[in-house]
Amino acid sequence: MSTAPRLTALDALHRQLGATMTDFAGWDMPLRYASERDEHNAVRTKAGLFDLSHMGEITLTGPEAVKVLDYALVGNISTVGVGRARYTHICREDGGILDDLIVYRLGETEYMVVANASNAQVVLDAITERAAGFDAEVRDDRDAYALIAVQGPESPGILKSLTDADLDGLKYYAGLPGTVAGVPALIARTGYTGEDGFELFVSPEHAVELWQALTKAGEGAGLVPAGLSCRDTLRLEAGMPLYGHELTTALTPFDAGLGRVVKFEKEGDFVGRAALEAAAERAGTNPPRKLVGLIAEGRRVPRAGFPVVAGGRVIGEVTSGAPSPTLGKPIAMAYVDAAHAAPGTSGVGVDIRGRHEAYEVVALPFYKRQK
């Protein structure tokens, strides 16, 4: 039996704006409103407004909430200060990545984990199971929040016009409670676009009011509504991994070039420690395929799963590919054999439906904003 997709609190508004909707991780979400290229360029040069209410929020409270997270996740959450956030992974016992997450410390004994929409239930189940025996409560807060993001160089000015919160003092990967356009919100300086920006966690009944206030405040600054399609090209240019593409249960954080998120020095055991110690050793002595950037010499666009080739043999696989509005060329991320991973390696191509198209190997990210 098919299940109807879930709707965010902004669903009717998206349809009024003429959005093309798509089923994403069981949610009906806006793919684009008009031109995805225009939306992408607006975020790079002005600002874009995103509905991210499909993300999965999980709250942990209690005296041992941080101990749960240090055991359940690979990061050292006990070093996160109140009001700060941390990017980390949750792994299986064999070291495979279940999801990549952001953990916000909201108070002395209160934390919020934000999981990808496609993995929210898996992450909730895993954390709940791993919390057994600890003095902490795990709460499914997916229905408690709508999440609106404003991203792009004009986003601080737009948000400042609607709040008296100290945005200038709000660092990257930090969050603070405040009001935006009179709406109570957790204001976080995080994002998935490579630009400066904010994510606003609010009660679903305030979502439409807040979206409309941001839209009005951004009228003179070039703010446009932006869908999931441009979010994907923005994160690809910024070299940010997408679960199910660059990250999977078949890969450890070390395979994905993200071994830095694994903190062996933290106190106590954590799920996957032994397997990840072995993966770290392998990565240091006999590295597996490495994640690299590829820029097309021609116009044909590579897609996930396409083989990367050199010297007549397959040396890797594309994980994400798309036309890059900023570079004006097709780009891709791919896992390739270490021997072909150095930037500038010659003779590398992508097999696009039987034709080997030439690609340049480059270091990630493709795009980095000017501070």
Side-chain angles (χ1 to χ4, degrees), residues 167-232:
L167 298 186
D168 291 334
L170 186 64
K171 295 183 171 71
Y172 187 50
Y173 266 71
L176 84 171
T179 58
V180 182
V183 170
L186 171 65
I187 305 168
R189 198 165 205 157
T190 49
Y192 194 52
T193 62
E195 298 299 335
D196 191 10
F198 303 87
E199 294 184 324
L200 307 172
F201 295 85
V202 300
S203 180
E205 67 259 27
H206 296 311
V208 170
E209 174 187 353
L210 180 57
W211 180 283
Q212 291 173 335
L214 287 162
T215 298
K216 190 165 176 26
E219 278 175 357
L223 177 76
V224 302
L228 292 182
S229 185
C230 84
R231 183 170 149 87
D232 190 49

Side-chain angles (χ1 to χ4, degrees), residues 9 21 24 27 31 38-39 48 71 79 81 97 106 141 233 235 292 315 325:
M21 306 296 286
F24 183 82
W27 290 81
L31 187 64
D38 289 348
E39 291 168 26
Y71 172 67
T79 61
I97 303 166
L106 304 180
D141 270 350
T233 53
R235 70 92 195 165
V292 301
I315 58 148

Side-chain angles (χ1 to χ4, degrees), residues 92-161:
R92 302 193 305 192
E93 197 65 67
D94 66 1
I97 303 166
L98 281 173
D99 201 13
D100 61 336
L101 314 162
I102 296 179
V103 180
Y104 296 89
R105 186 174 180 186
L106 304 180
E108 284 300 322
T109 59
E110 183 179 6
Y111 295 80
M112 181 170 69
V113 176
V114 181
N116 285 298
S118 56
N119 294 326
Q121 190 63 49
V122 169
V123 173
L124 175 66
D125 291 345
I127 292 177
T128 302
E129 182 184 320
R130 295 172 190 188
F134 290 94
D135 186 3
E137 181 196 349
V138 180
R139 190 171 69 235
D140 179 2
D141 270 350
R142 282 177 287 180
D143 292 335
Y145 292 103
L147 179 56
I148 295 173
V150 54
Q151 296 276 310
E154 297 292 338
S155 59
I158 293 167
L159 202 55
K160 277 181 190 176
S161 72

Side-chain angles (χ1 to χ4, degrees), residues 294-349:
L294 300 174
I295 299 180
E297 293 182 13
R299 309 303 305 173
R300 299 186 79 195
V301 179
R303 298 298 181 189
F306 284 12
V308 182
V309 294
R313 66 184 185 88
V314 174
I315 58 148
E317 184 176 297
V318 171
T319 53
S320 297
S324 165
T326 304
L327 276 64
K329 298 177 179 179
I331 59 172
M333 286 199 277
Y335 283 108
V336 302
D337 294 346
H340 294 86
T345 301
S346 60
V348 172

Side-chain angles (χ1 to χ4, degrees), residues 36 41 50 59 63 87 138 177 188-189 195 205 215 225 227 276 287 298 353 356 359 369:
E36 55 204 46
N41 290 334
F50 296 86
T59 302
Y87 174 81
V138 180
R189 198 165 205 157
E195 298 299 335
E205 67 259 27
T215 298
L276 290 168
R353 298 181 184 88
H356 291 188
Y359 273 74
R369 72 183 171 92

